[in-house]
Amino acid sequence: MKTRHLFFFLIAALAFSSCTKDEALNSEADILSVIVPQEILKADPVIENNRVTIRVKPDTDLENQAPVFTLSKGATISPENGTVLDFTRPHIYTVTSENGKNIKEYTVTFIIAGLSPYYGFEHFRLNESGKYYVFYEVNENGDNLMDWASGNAGFAITAGETPPDLYPTTYTEAGRTGRALKLTTRRTGELGIMFNKPIAAGNIFMGTFDVSAAISSPLLAVKMGIPIELVPDTLKGYFKYQGGDVFVQVVENAQGELVIEEYENGEIPDHWDVYAIFYDNNGGTLMLDGTNRFTHENLMSVAHLDPVDAIETDQWTAFELPFVQKPGKTIDPQKLANGGYSISVVMSSSAGGDFFKGGVNSTLLIDDLEIVSKK
Amino acid sequence: MKLKQFIIGILVVFGFFAANAQDAPSGEKSSLFQNTEFQIRAGFSIGGSAPIPFPIEIRKIERYDPTLALGLEANLTKWLGDNQRWGIRTGLRAEGRGMKTEAEVKDYYTEVISDGGQKVTGNFTGMVQTTVKNSYFTIPVLAVYDLSSRWNLYGGLYFSSLIERNFSGYVYDGYLREGGATGSKLIFEGDDKGPYDFSDDLRVFQWGALVGGEWRLQKHLQLFSELTWGLNDLFKKDFKTVTFHMYSIYLNIGFGYRF
């Protein structure tokens, strides 16, 4: 009997020590959403891990804005919600988690200026974690007009200590004029292979890259579109291109498993891609993504490079793509003035990059991009 | 399987000694074998590698599977004195210790790691699957007390050496915040899995306390039940990824044959 008591005691002790504790105070310090008067918004605010970008209509009083933020459970923000600030310049907000241990800074920017028609890829900075470059555009006053989005944030997940120059999206000093954009298809290493994403094409686009979806649904991570007050007619620019020798792709085998295939010595040539989409953004609420960018019913017009023109060349070569109107679509001038239409220009060093197909080290240089609008 | 051959070898040697001890006419027993008992045992273990104290990051154990972990042991008991009240026992055991769990975690620091060693580190909130499948050679050093004609109680220490190792699993259905609680969110959903493998970070030497009892079914056959409680961390000292200490706690149940 004694033995049984002993066992009972020990098992009870074990069970007791294994009881789950009460949940800890929340450790997250996120801005979940931002509230400003609906009538000033050109598009839904874009919230990234350390940035909030709010595009507003031209008649907005930037000097007196009092945004209100919803936060992670229990978190607090400084300056306080509803504080009136002059947003002709960005402000830094500090969010503190419920448990007080984590602090995150957000740069909150109101953008009132419209998109520029010309893009020289002269301006870039390191992202918040200092890992990769982010290109941005400024107006003559130096105000930020737009950050270019790229898959660099996704590449960073598996990149470890890779220096910024070896990311897929970077720059070269040897531009046609000044600097130029440099897109290179890179291997993603062991972890990338594990996630069946063996390569990352160098890409850049107008919109935002939602890194949270990068592993689970990469096509949805690419959110395209920024409001524009002009009707685009032609997309022009200059490029140089060299395709990579080793072509990598992910295919489904007979058992329905994803396998990675490699073709050496240029067996499958790679080619680059550029396109632009112009669409009705449903009052600033719609962004297209990798699944519907060419098929969505809201598309007004599309400009797309013909694959036969995606040649290899070591000379700056011009391209000029007309926006081809979708049938039965007409522009509403009032909607246009209110930012009701969005554009995204997308470039990639491997045309199949969205599906993790491409030539390793395929390199695309782009400079002096221009969106020519209809008169 | 080297392990199997080794176990068979050990059993043969012990069997030989045991047979000799038994065959010798009682009056002629050498002093070495006087008041000495040989036993072989087979059993299985139920338990796990448990974090103690239970960390706040683990919210709920959704599933627990003790797995089939078998053990074989040959031991020898030297009774102190002819009344055979107290004895000391040692032996050699080959045993598996394993479990499979699925747990719901919040803010659980981990690293998702590839075969090549690349890793993503951060705080995970969601589900974690863990498989532990380790094999050890164990030497128990025990005091045995003869409680009654049917009952023996015993207790002492055990010392184990890891010979086969696996501590691995994956995270799923949740999100990893890269680098810590304020990092970018990476969502894992559907079939997405973030594997991890900490097998190489397991500590080779393990020791702990052991208490148990055996019940004599008949002259030779015994049933036993015992609890082993690890007293050092399952992982190496310099291993920081699992932020809490884990200890092996197992209940072994089986039968023994006394020669």
Side-chain angles (χ1 to χ4, degrees):
Chain A
M1 283 308 284
K2 276 181 186 167
T3 358
R4 275 188 217 153
H5 284 141
L6 181 64
F7 278 131
F8 181 76
F9 171 75
L10 286 168
I11 296 296
L14 178 62
F16 187 70
S17 68
S18 298
C19 281
T20 48
K21 294 182 181 169
D22 286 343
E23 196 162 324
L25 293 176
N26 200 351
S27 66
E28 292 176 318
D30 292 344
I31 288 181
L32 302 176
S33 69
V34 49
I35 303 159
V36 293
Q38 191 63 38
E39 62 271 16
I40 69 166
L41 281 180
K42 216 187 262 180
D44 286 346
V46 174
I47 301 167
E48 294 163 286
N49 201 40
N50 297 93
R51 302 178 78 79
V52 176
T53 307
I54 306 165
R55 287 185 185 277
V56 293
K57 291 175 184 165
D59 56 357
T60 304
D61 175 15
L62 276 192
E63 290 178 17
N64 293 290
Q65 288 300 322
V68 170
F69 303 91
T70 61
L71 309 171
S72 305
K73 183 181 144 286
T76 54
I77 192 164
S78 168
E80 266 179 56
N81 267 338
T83 305
V84 179
L85 294 169
D86 174 3
F87 275 95
T88 51
R89 285 270 165 276
H91 285 278
I92 291 177
Y93 282 76
T94 305
V95 182
T96 305
S97 64
E98 183 181 37
N99 69 5
K101 287 181 186 163
N102 297 306
I103 290 169
K104 190 155 69 168
E105 288 188 344
Y106 282 83
T107 303
V108 178
T109 309
F110 279 64
I111 297 179
I112 195 162
L115 282 185
S116 148
Y118 171 78
Y119 303 88
F121 302 102
E122 303 300 327
H123 307 285
F124 61 84
R125 61 168 191 270
L126 282 169
N127 79 314
E128 284 76 9
S129 62
K131 288 180 166 181
Y132 54 85
Y133 297 124
V134 176
F135 282 91
Y136 61 93
E137 300 295 333
V138 292
N139 64 12
E140 59 277 12
N141 303 328
D143 298 333
N144 186 316
L145 295 178
M146 178 188 94
D147 282 354
W148 283 94
S150 81
N152 273 355
F155 187 78
I157 299 168
T158 60
E161 299 301 307
T162 305
D165 291 333
L166 295 180
Y167 269 68
T169 302
T170 176
Y171 74 98
T172 174
E173 293 289 351
R176 182 171 172 272
T177 55
R179 291 172 180 145
L181 173 67
K182 182 183 179 186
L183 304 176
T184 311
T185 302
R186 304 281 187 194
R187 287 189 188 272
T188 52
E190 295 283 342
L191 263 175
I193 289 168
M194 201 170 74
F195 293 128
N196 281 313
K197 297 169 180 63
I199 57 128
N203 66 15
I204 199 161
F205 61 98
M206 293 174 179
T208 176
F209 186 84
D210 177 9
V211 67
S212 69
I215 289 175
S216 55
S217 33
L219 290 178
L220 298 181
V222 179
K223 301 209 181 301
M224 305 171 189
I226 290 182
I228 187 169
E229 291 79 42
L230 303 165
V231 180
D233 182 63
T234 313
L235 181 69
K236 296 194 327 192
Y238 293 85
F239 75 97
K240 289 182 179 183
Y241 187 64
Q242 177 67 51
D245 266 354
V246 179
F247 193 87
V248 181
Q249 61 181 359
V250 182
V251 291
E252 209 170 294
N253 68 9
Q255 284 76 46
E257 295 157 344
L258 294 176
V259 291
I260 295 163
E261 290 180 347
E262 295 208 1
Y263 298 88
E264 302 204 351
N265 305 320
E267 205 177 327
I268 297 184
D270 197 6
H271 61 97
W272 65 283
D273 202 9
V274 55
Y275 58 86
I277 55 175
F278 179 65
Y279 66 90
D280 181 337
N281 61 28
N282 285 350
T285 59
L286 176 69
M287 288 182 102
L288 298 191
D289 58 53
T291 66
N292 58 15
R293 63 210 158 146
F294 297 133
T295 53
H296 200 280
E297 58 178 11
N298 281 28
L299 282 169
M300 306 298 292
S301 60
V302 174
H304 201 161
L305 182 73
D306 188 329
V308 301
D309 294 329
I311 56 169
E312 290 193 341
T313 172
D314 59 5
Q315 300 297 315
W316 285 110
T317 304
F319 63 87
E320 190 167 334
L321 313 173
F323 279 80
V324 178
Q325 194 89 17
K326 293 282 170 187
K329 298 282 185 179
T330 47
I331 304 288
D332 175 346
Q334 188 56 44
K335 206 189 241 182
L336 185 68
N338 285 332
Y341 296 98
S342 286
I343 191 169
S344 186
V345 177
V346 185
M347 290 160 275
S348 174
S349 55
S350 294
D354 291 352
F355 300 95
F356 305 98
K357 289 180 188 178
V360 177
N361 294 330
S362 290
T363 303
L364 172 67
L365 305 185
I366 294 273
D367 208 353
D368 299 327
L369 190 74
E370 195 180 346
I371 301 169
V372 182
S373 56
K374 281 193 172 139
K375 291 290 170 283
Chain B
M1 280 288 287
K2 274 185 188 159
L3 178 61
K4 268 188 194 153
Q5 287 163 358
F6 190 87
I7 293 166
I8 290 166
I10 293 287
L11 290 179
V12 167
V13 171
F14 269 81
F16 175 76
F17 273 107
N20 275 353
Q22 207 180 27
D23 287 351
S26 58
E28 293 170 25
K29 266 189 184 171
S30 67
S31 62
L32 181 66
F33 292 130
Q34 196 120 33
N35 287 325
T36 302
E37 225 176 86
F38 290 92
Q39 187 192 45
I40 55 171
R41 288 175 150 200
F44 62 91
S45 60
I46 299 171
S49 302
I52 295 175
F54 212 72
I56 203 157
E57 293 94 326
I58 299 179
R59 302 309 314 152
K60 197 173 169 193
I61 305 289
E62 288 275 352
R63 206 171 71 84
Y64 164 76
D65 173 0
T67 71
L68 188 64
L70 298 175
L72 282 175
E73 174 179 331
N75 66 43
L76 147 166
T77 308
K78 177 81 178 170
W79 293 103
L80 308 170
D82 289 338
N83 65 355
Q84 299 205 343
R85 237 334 147 198
W86 286 97
I88 53 172
R89 174 184 290 176
T90 187
L92 184 66
R93 173 190 303 183
E95 61 180 339
R97 294 179 200 160
M99 65 165 185
K100 276 186 187 172
T101 61
E102 277 168 32
E104 189 188 319
V105 299
K106 187 182 174 189
D107 251 329
Y108 173 85
Y109 183 76
T110 191
E111 59 188 24
V112 170
I113 197 157
S114 72
D115 292 343
Q118 263 193 323
K119 58 192 175 187
V120 186
T121 309
N123 290 24
F124 185 79
T125 297
M127 298 297 294
V128 181
Q129 194 274 358
T130 305
T131 299
V132 182
K133 193 170 166 43
N134 293 327
S135 301
Y136 294 89
F137 277 137
T138 298
I139 296 175
V141 178
L142 307 169
V144 187
Y145 179 69
D146 182 28
L147 188 67
S148 70
S149 60
R150 286 197 172 255
W151 280 100
N152 283 343
L153 299 183
Y154 56 88
L157 298 174
Y158 70 85
F159 305 93
S160 295
S161 177
L162 183 65
I163 44 177
E164 280 182 313
R165 58 179 75 194
N166 183 11
F167 190 107
S168 62
Y170 51 86
V171 298
Y172 65 104
D173 254 0
Y175 60 89
L176 184 79
R177 299 209 73 133
E178 238 189 307
T182 58
S184 303
K185 258 187 196 183
L186 293 182
I187 294 172
F188 290 79
E189 60 185 10
D191 292 336
D192 302 325
K193 285 175 186 168
Y196 65 87
D197 189 342
F198 303 143
S199 302
D200 290 339
D201 301 300
L202 289 166
R203 197 195 286 256
V204 172
F205 174 71
Q206 295 273 294
W207 71 284
L210 191 167
V211 289
E214 54 198 7
W215 183 70
R216 222 159 286 155
L217 201 60
Q218 40 109 307
K219 187 167 178 258
H220 291 296
L221 208 57
Q222 297 176 323
L223 296 176
F224 74 91
S225 174
E226 64 186 27
L227 185 76
T228 65
W229 195 299
L231 292 174
N232 63 350
D233 195 348
L234 192 66
F235 290 107
K236 291 174 186 167
K237 238 187 202 140
D238 56 1
F239 178 64
K240 300 282 183 242
T241 309
V242 173
T243 54
F244 38 85
H245 297 291
M246 294 187 88
Y247 300 92
S248 295
I249 301 163
Y250 285 89
L251 182 70
N252 301 330
I253 296 167
F255 60 88
Y257 188 87
R258 195 165 66 114
F259 290 94

